[in-house]
Amino acid sequence: DVQAAVERFTKLINDAVAQEIVIIPKSLTVVMRDNVSRIAHSSAIRVLSWKPLQDGSEEVALEGIRQRLDQVVQVLQEEIIERQKSAMMQAQSLDLPKEWEPQSSKLELKSVQQHSEEFFRVFKRMKLSMPSVRIVKLERVQNDWLWRKYVQHKEAMREKNSGVVNEKDLFHGTSSANPDKIYQSEDGFDMRYSNSGLWGQGCYFAEKASYSDGYAYSVTSGMKQMFLAKVLTGDSVNMPSDKSLRMPPEKTGQRSIFGDTLKYDTVTGETKGCRVYITYHNDKAYPFYLITYTRRPTYI
């Protein structure tokens, strides 16, 4: 009869409706939200819920006709795999530092654990010239944009100098400028805002933390901040003070591939018992660590 037919039809419909769970990795939760909604909507699949998981990933529940649902789940899983592959290839091409942790945004400050080898390495370097230093907080700056620019400049320098880049870990104090103006900016260490020093207008980096301590940013009374930066010193020329400098001097008799006279990459010299390096190009340095410290004695 009619009633029995309706019941059989309803049962068929109900049997055809199903639910599935798709796990979105932590690194893709932001970018995949719109994609999941778009793909599900185009196939008449309902997004029932988003549930955050402890590891930072998210669980999305979907409901719809079994055949369409299976197709949507397959499309989403394939997109996740492709995006993960793309991110891995990009990371490899950018030569990301081994210390970097996964991040969900283009800029993140990552706290370095106090008893880690990474923390001790920075502490030991500071202690060489500041025996009474106490690191209150060590943060790793993971700025994807600035790192990409730095790596690209590194490759260009390597090509120019037949493989020579002479990358060094050097200290930098920002004086009265808040360090976030550097690590949150588009240009990082921007020499346009640098004061003129013994070697002209450029960004100054020191081998000794004690030198940069004189230019460190004051957070509170007795507490300061400075950077430990990656610096591409390249082919550096040792010079006496010259306050007129706005770029490194030319190399006598050496021509670039474009026919103009080659220049040195950086300038170096000694002041206050410390060797310093001066860059005149924003992309030659990257603010790798932000160090918050005091000069009270401590023991680790």
Side-chain angles (χ1 to χ4, degrees), residues 38 51 95 110 146 148 165 206-207 252 268 271 282 286:
R38 175 179 53 80
K51 178 182 176 182
D95 191 23
K110 299 287 189 178
L146 288 182
R148 184 181 299 131
V165 295
E207 288 187 341
T252 304
T268 184
T271 176
N282 299 344
Y286 177 85

Side-chain angles (χ1 to χ4, degrees), residues 9 32 114 128 137-138 151 162 184 192 268 286 288:
F9 180 77
M32 285 295 293
Q114 187 171 4
L128 288 174
K137 182 166 57 175
L138 179 63
V151 170
S162 301
Q184 288 183 355
R192 292 175 300 176
T268 184
Y286 177 85
F288 206 90

Side-chain angles (χ1 to χ4, degrees), residues 112-129:
V112 179
Q113 295 301 310
Q114 187 171 4
H115 298 290
S116 66
E117 186 276 334
E118 184 180 4
F119 185 99
F120 184 74
R121 187 172 67 246
V122 176
F123 173 74
K124 184 178 179 181
R125 176 68 186 278
M126 289 193 78
K127 197 172 176 66
L128 288 174
S129 61

Side-chain angles (χ1 to χ4, degrees), residues 96-237:
L96 290 179
K98 68 181 187 300
E99 297 90 349
W100 278 30
E101 303 170 63
Q103 59 193 91
S104 56
S105 59
K106 293 294 184 180
L107 165 63
E108 291 187 16
L109 289 183
K110 299 287 189 178
S111 294
V112 179
Q113 295 301 310
Q114 187 171 4
H115 298 290
S116 66
E117 186 276 334
E118 184 180 4
F119 185 99
F120 184 74
R121 187 172 67 246
V122 176
F123 173 74
K124 184 178 179 181
R125 176 68 186 278
M126 289 193 78
K127 197 172 176 66
L128 288 174
S129 61
M130 298 175 64
S132 64
V133 71
R134 174 177 175 261
I135 297 181
V136 177
K137 182 166 57 175
L138 179 63
E139 295 171 290
R140 188 188 321 108
V141 179
Q142 296 188 187
N143 185 318
D144 179 76
W145 170 258
L146 288 182
W147 182 258
R148 184 181 299 131
K149 292 174 65 181
Y150 177 77
V151 170
Q152 289 172 348
H153 192 82
K154 185 177 183 178
E155 291 306 310
M157 182 184 288
R158 184 175 281 125
E159 182 178 350
K160 171 194 171 188
N161 295 339
S162 301
V164 177
V165 295
N166 285 331
E167 185 177 57
K168 298 181 182 293
D169 295 327
L170 302 172
F171 296 99
H172 178 85
T174 61
S175 298
S176 61
N178 193 313
D180 64 12
K181 302 299 182 185
I182 291 174
Y183 67 76
Q184 288 183 355
S185 74
E186 182 179 337
D187 295 304
F189 293 107
D190 194 338
M191 61 165 287
R192 292 175 300 176
Y193 303 108
S194 299
N195 295 324
S196 184
L198 293 176
W199 287 271
Q201 186 175 0
C203 291
Y204 288 66
F205 299 90
E207 288 187 341
K208 295 181 179 180
S210 57
Y211 178 88
S212 294
D213 179 58
Y215 301 91
Y217 177 73
S218 292
V219 182
T220 60
S221 178
M223 192 174 296
K224 299 180 177 180
Q225 289 181 323
M226 71 169 72
F227 286 111
L228 181 58
K230 295 283 184 185
V231 183
L232 302 171
T233 64
D235 189 359
S236 190
V237 57

